[in-house]
Amino acid sequence: MSTRSRQRGGGGVVGAIKTDVQRLHGAWMELVFPRQRGRGHSVMGKWQPETVPQRIAYRGWSVLGLLGLLVLYPLTVIGFGTRYYAAKLDSTRTRLGIIGVTGIALLGWGLLTLAWGAMSYMEQVDIPFDAVLAVAAASGVATVSTALAATCSKVGGRWLTVVLAYPFAMTALFLPPVVAALVTPSLEGVILEPSYDFAVWVLDNVLYVGGINEYLRGNFDLEGAAYAAMWTGISFPLGWFLGVVTALANLVRPAQ
């Protein structure tokens, strides 16, 4: 067993989880009580309650933190996975640079738009002009999102990455399959129909507050480019969620 494994509390998955939970719980305790993460205060030692009110408050806060960990640690695990794949994408961005990544996105989306535009003029292929416009609009949004995600990731700090880079990256990832489904009938059942069912669920179970669902149903139809707009809207809260859990993972287990 390596020295690093012993330091983690026994090595392996169990030891890593134990260390992660201890760090999270220690950080929680330090929100109210001083010197709770042990090794970080090895000279002065860990603070302990001395009076009865302090003990009651200390134990109560500790139990509350343990209950919170039942939700928080699974989110941390999601953050570990997100950080791994984000590092892969960031490595590609580092090798190609912002201009290179944007150029590839522009080339790919531009060729797709030109291809569908040309096919719409062929008599043998029946492609509505609205579908071509949807591809063109999504191409512009995806290209700009790719450039903004790469730029925010390179020049921004942690908060700029969470607030902007992750949502723009989600937009760039979501739009290709949605647009492909818009112009490829065989993909409708795989992407558009589940998207419609998901939209119905969100309207009935999330956006019913204040009659938002009634307003959306009365003023918008989920068809054509509206699918791309819907997933662009979803990409922002999802990106914020993934950015936050990644930041949480960095807090618990800093990236090497």
Side-chain angles (χ1 to χ4, degrees):
M1 183 183 299
S2 67
T3 303
R4 185 175 180 178
S5 295
R6 287 195 297 269
Q7 290 175 345
R8 280 188 172 274
V13 176
V14 175
I17 292 175
K18 180 180 178 181
T19 301
D20 292 341
V21 171
Q22 287 175 341
R23 287 174 178 169
L24 277 173
H25 192 257
W28 167 260
M29 295 301 293
E30 281 196 342
L31 292 176
V32 176
F33 303 98
R35 305 196 313 272
Q36 292 299 300
R37 283 182 280 188
R39 293 176 182 173
H41 306 284
S42 57
V43 176
M44 300 181 66
K46 183 178 179 180
W47 181 88
Q48 296 291 339
E50 298 177 354
T51 66
V52 172
Q54 285 179 345
R55 293 191 188 98
I56 294 175
Y58 188 87
R59 292 184 183 277
W61 189 250
S62 177
V63 170
L64 186 61
L66 290 173
L67 294 176
L69 283 174
L70 295 176
V71 175
L72 200 60
Y73 190 71
L75 295 179
T76 304
V77 174
I78 295 175
F80 291 147
T82 304
R83 184 175 68 181
Y84 173 80
Y85 290 106
K88 295 293 185 182
L89 293 174
D90 192 60
S91 176
T92 301
R93 190 269 305 162
T94 300
R95 290 196 302 270
L96 298 177
I98 296 175
I99 295 178
V101 171
T102 305
I104 291 176
L106 181 61
L107 177 63
W109 282 102
L111 290 176
L112 179 63
T113 303
L114 290 175
W116 281 102
M119 291 174 65
S120 67
Y121 287 99
M122 297 181 182
E123 296 181 358
Q124 298 87 349
V125 182
D126 183 18
I127 298 179
F129 184 68
D130 289 346
V132 179
L133 290 179
V135 173
S139 299
V141 173
T143 302
V144 172
S145 296
T146 301
L148 290 174
T151 302
C152 293
S153 178
K154 179 178 176 61
V155 305
R158 176 179 298 178
W159 289 109
L160 187 61
T161 300
V162 170
V163 174
L164 294 179
Y166 275 89
F168 284 132
M170 290 296 99
T171 300
L173 290 175
F174 280 156
L175 282 182
V178 174
V179 173
L182 288 175
V183 296
T184 308
S186 60
L187 294 178
E188 290 184 6
V190 179
I191 297 174
L192 298 188
E193 291 181 8
S195 296
Y196 183 87
D197 294 337
F198 177 70
V200 171
W201 182 87
V202 171
L203 289 173
D204 291 340
N205 297 277
V206 179
L207 299 181
Y208 65 90
V209 179
I212 298 177
N213 56 350
E214 296 179 1
Y215 172 80
L216 293 175
R217 283 191 168 110
N219 292 274
F220 300 97
D221 294 322
L222 188 57
E223 58 183 20
Y227 280 102
M230 182 187 82
W231 282 106
T232 300
I234 292 174
S235 68
F236 274 79
L238 180 60
W240 292 328
F241 168 77
L242 294 177
V244 168
V245 296
T246 302
L248 181 62
N250 289 331
L251 174 65
V252 175
R253 195 186 300 172
Q256 299 297 321

